[in-house]
């Protein structure tokens, strides 16, 4: 398994850096992925970084993570606010889960204040832009180590 952290990105995040930079920043998802790999390497960990516009594909990846990852970081994008399927899949893995958003969803429309992920996440991070991915990797690695009885 090694120390692999699965980082999942939901619908439309493939558009990062191309539209709405005032909300989501000018960084592309490919650039964020590169930052994640570099940061994980410094920690002696790995990341498996994925994006899908399809809810079922995200569910499949969460189910598979049980055998391949030590923790999940998830920016479920719009599915955050709608998906019972992602809620159930994350709950079933038993892995540490960090919910992540680029924007501060609580400063935005009220429909973004409801999350189906938060109640099955160990922690929630939002509003730190692309740097949030680095913070989330640190958190996920620490939670996994704590659970495994390491310091
Ligand atoms: O702030 C976040 O990371 C979000 O998860 C992003 C989602 C949004 O539905 C959540 O409420 C908060 C939207 C991702 C769409 O990303 C785009 C990027 C560039 C252009 C258009 C959409």
């Amino acid at each position: 398994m090694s120390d692999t952290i699965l980082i999942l990105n939901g619908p439309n995040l493939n558009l990062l850096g191309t539209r709405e930079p005032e909300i989501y920043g000018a960084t592309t998802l490919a650039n964020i992925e590169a930052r994640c790999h570099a940061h994980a390497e410094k920690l002696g960990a790995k990341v498996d970084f994925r994006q899908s516009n399809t809810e079922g594909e995200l569910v499949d990846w969460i189910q598979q993570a049980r055998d391949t990852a030590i923790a999940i970081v998830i920016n479920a994008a719009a599915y955050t606010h709608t998906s019972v399927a992602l809620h159930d899949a994350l709950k079933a893995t038993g892995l540490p889960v960090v919910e992540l958003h680029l924007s501060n969803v609580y400063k935005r429309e009220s429909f973004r204040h409801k999350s189906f992920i938060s109640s099955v996440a160990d922690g929630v991070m939002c509003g730190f832009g692309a740097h949030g991915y680095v913070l989330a990797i640190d958190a996920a690695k620490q939670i996994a180590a704590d659970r495994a009885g390491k310091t």
Side-chain angles (χ1 to χ4, degrees):
M1 175 194 302
S2 82
D3 275 5
T4 299
I5 297 165
L6 177 64
I7 303 182
L8 293 179
N9 295 280
N12 297 308
L13 286 166
N14 53 311
L15 300 177
L16 276 182
T18 66
R19 296 190 189 91
E20 301 191 54
E22 66 287 357
I23 301 175
Y24 299 118
T27 312
T28 63
L29 196 63
N31 182 279
I32 292 175
E33 177 175 3
R35 289 195 213 179
C36 288
H37 286 298
H39 186 68
E41 200 178 325
K42 283 188 214 156
L43 303 179
K46 292 186 184 138
V47 295
D48 180 358
F49 192 98
R50 302 180 186 206
Q51 187 274 333
S52 178
N53 292 328
T54 307
E55 189 176 19
E57 191 165 36
L58 292 165
V59 169
D60 287 342
W61 290 341
I62 291 166
Q63 289 183 7
Q64 291 157 16
R66 184 195 269 276
D67 303 318
T68 59
I70 59 165
I72 298 174
V73 171
I74 182 164
N75 183 349
Y79 290 144
T80 304
H81 317 299
T82 63
S83 181
V84 177
L86 289 180
H87 170 105
D88 288 347
L90 289 166
K91 190 173 180 185
T93 61
L95 289 170
V97 174
V98 177
E99 177 183 352
L100 173 66
H101 301 285
L102 292 152
S103 62
N104 180 351
V105 288
Y106 299 102
K107 282 175 82 174
R108 302 183 62 194
E109 304 96 320
S110 59
F111 67 83
R112 296 186 202 276
H113 301 176
K114 166 71 188 171
S115 168
F116 283 88
I117 310 294
S118 300
S119 60
V120 289
D122 291 86
V124 182
M125 207 168 284
C126 71
F128 298 103
H131 186 61
Y133 283 76
V134 167
L135 300 174
I137 289 170
D138 284 342
K141 179 98 173 31
Q142 187 62 51
I143 296 164
D146 288 347
R147 281 214 201 160
K150 301 179 207 164
T151 49

